[in-house]
Amino acid sequence: MREASFVKQNKDKWTTFESALSNRTNIAPDVLSDLYIEITDHLSYAKTFYPKSNTEMYLNGLAAKAHQKIYRTKKESKNRIIGFWKTEFPTMFYHHQRELLIAFLIFAFFTAVGVFSAANEGNFVRSILGDGYVNMTLENIANDDPMAVYKQMGEFNMALGITINNIIVALVTFALGILLGIGTIYKILQTGLMLGSFQYFFYEKGLFWESARTIWIHGTIEISVIIVAGCAGLVLANGMLFPGTYSRLDSFQRGVRNGLKIMLSTVPFFIVAGFLEGFVTRHTEMPDWLAIFIISASLALIVYYYIIYPRQLYKKTDHDRKPIHRI
């Protein structure tokens, strides 16, 4: 890569780092550490391909200035847990919006495939959902309580069981990213086919609205964070497949680290989804306006935290930047 192209490709990161070192931008300590690792990687690259250049001298000075400040900042950090969800994770996640979009599009496509297949293949729903679940649901429909499945367990036990199960599914979806992303895509495919066939099944029985307003009370958050887990798996795969200026090992480690941060961000949402499924969804007698409010609020929370808020933080950081020194 030509030196000018290398500078153009990375100067925004250098500007962010320099601004943070000068206390012009407030960045979480671990994010600052990640940037420091990137800077040192860039410095090594510059030493190899552009020895004794202005780029090497600039990066060397930046890295030297950074070391002491970073570790002092990490010691002084407070409210580490709050800072993760408030600043550190959203700042990092802004750079993975592409993987989130890809995970969503894959999920949406296979949900549509699930609907189409259920509408055109008589046994498709049973092959996806299983005979036991379909027969139980048909029996509930015959008893005028199609959503009775959400009332079979006690509230707490159901909430706890669902939360643990969803977290396990999400972790598997993420971990399968190690198979170059193919495993993650397969899990997203499975979830999409299941949702599409599930919703068509109720539509075919004339119960689409009743099922949707009940299921999506908890499903809005549950399905959304499964997609986010798919995003984490794709981040892991991307680190393996496209190392960029990093060594493949460094890129893989970054993919694992960022993917784990994405997974950690989903835990509170899975807890909320489990609570809703265990304690709220079972109340099928609730008025439509209340169900719609819960669904809308859940969707707004997900969209804001994973899409809008990271962009707001990035724009704020970008606004606070000053031009990079000429090198």
Side-chain angles (χ1 to χ4, degrees), residues 32-33 36 66-76:
L32 198 61
S33 294
Y36 173 66
H67 186 272
Q68 184 178 3
K69 182 177 180 64
I70 288 173
Y71 289 98
R72 186 175 68 246
T73 302
K74 291 185 79 170
K75 290 178 182 177
E76 292 174 355

Side-chain angles (χ1 to χ4, degrees), residues 50-305:
Y50 323 119
K52 302 185 185 300
S53 65
N54 288 337
T55 302
E56 182 193 345
M57 289 188 287
Y58 169 75
L59 291 173
N60 190 56
L62 193 59
K65 181 181 177 182
H67 186 272
Q68 184 178 3
K69 182 177 180 64
I70 288 173
Y71 289 98
R72 186 175 68 246
T73 302
K74 291 185 79 170
K75 290 178 182 177
E76 292 174 355
S77 65
K78 297 178 181 178
N79 299 322
R80 177 70 179 81
I81 296 177
I82 295 175
F84 173 81
W85 275 279
K86 183 179 179 182
T87 306
E88 179 182 339
F89 167 75
T91 301
M92 179 275 293
F93 194 66
Y94 171 82
H95 300 285
H96 296 298
Q97 297 288 298
R98 181 183 61 179
E99 288 91 342
L100 179 63
L101 176 60
I102 292 172
F104 171 77
L105 291 176
I106 293 172
F107 173 79
F109 174 76
F110 282 105
T111 299
V113 170
V115 171
F116 179 81
S117 300
N120 291 277
E121 176 55 52
N123 293 323
F124 184 77
V125 173
R126 287 184 177 273
S127 68
I128 296 296
L129 300 180
D131 288 333
Y133 183 84
V134 172
N135 291 337
M136 177 191 65
T137 303
L138 289 173
E139 184 178 341
N140 291 337
I141 292 173
N143 293 330
D144 294 324
D145 193 4
M147 298 293 108
V149 65
Y150 297 107
K151 307 172 185 177
Q152 292 180 345
M153 294 177 63
E155 287 95 335
F156 179 79
N157 289 338
M158 186 172 187
L160 181 62
I162 289 295
T163 299
I164 293 173
N165 179 72
N166 286 340
I167 290 175
I168 291 173
V169 170
L171 286 172
V172 171
T173 301
F174 162 62
L176 287 176
I178 197 74
L179 302 177
L180 304 181
I182 296 173
T184 292
I185 291 173
Y186 177 72
K187 292 300 291 184
I188 298 173
L189 175 157
Q190 277 189 320
T191 304
L193 289 178
M194 186 178 297
L195 176 64
S197 59
F198 181 84
Q199 285 286 205
Y200 185 82
F201 173 71
F202 283 101
Y203 168 78
E204 191 177 40
K205 302 301 179 184
L207 295 166
F208 176 77
W209 171 244
E210 184 172 352
S211 67
R213 55 145 276 171
T214 301
I215 295 162
W216 288 99
I217 285 175
H218 64 271
T220 302
I221 293 178
E222 181 180 296
I223 293 297
S224 296
V225 285
I226 290 293
I227 293 173
V228 172
C231 167
L234 295 180
V235 169
L236 170 58
N238 187 59
M240 299 172 62
L241 294 170
F242 306 106
T245 60
Y246 303 104
S247 69
R248 195 167 296 276
L249 177 60
D250 286 342
S251 181
F252 171 68
Q253 290 173 340
R254 287 175 58 81
V256 172
R257 184 166 60 250
N258 288 346
L260 287 172
K261 288 180 180 180
I262 294 171
M263 290 305 303
L264 182 58
S265 79
T266 66
V267 172
F269 292 99
F270 276 126
I271 293 173
V272 171
F275 171 83
L276 289 173
E277 187 164 358
F279 290 88
V280 180
T281 300
R282 66 181 57 239
H283 295 289
T284 54
E285 75 283 357
M286 75 170 64
D288 286 350
W289 68 264
L290 181 56
I292 292 172
F293 172 78
I294 295 173
I295 293 168
S296 300
S298 298
L299 181 60
L301 176 62
I302 291 292
V303 170
Y304 177 75
Y305 187 69

Side-chain angles (χ1 to χ4, degrees), residues 16-29:
T16 301
F17 191 66
E18 189 172 28
S19 180
L21 291 177
S22 302
N23 295 319
R24 295 194 296 267
T25 305
N26 184 23
I27 296 181

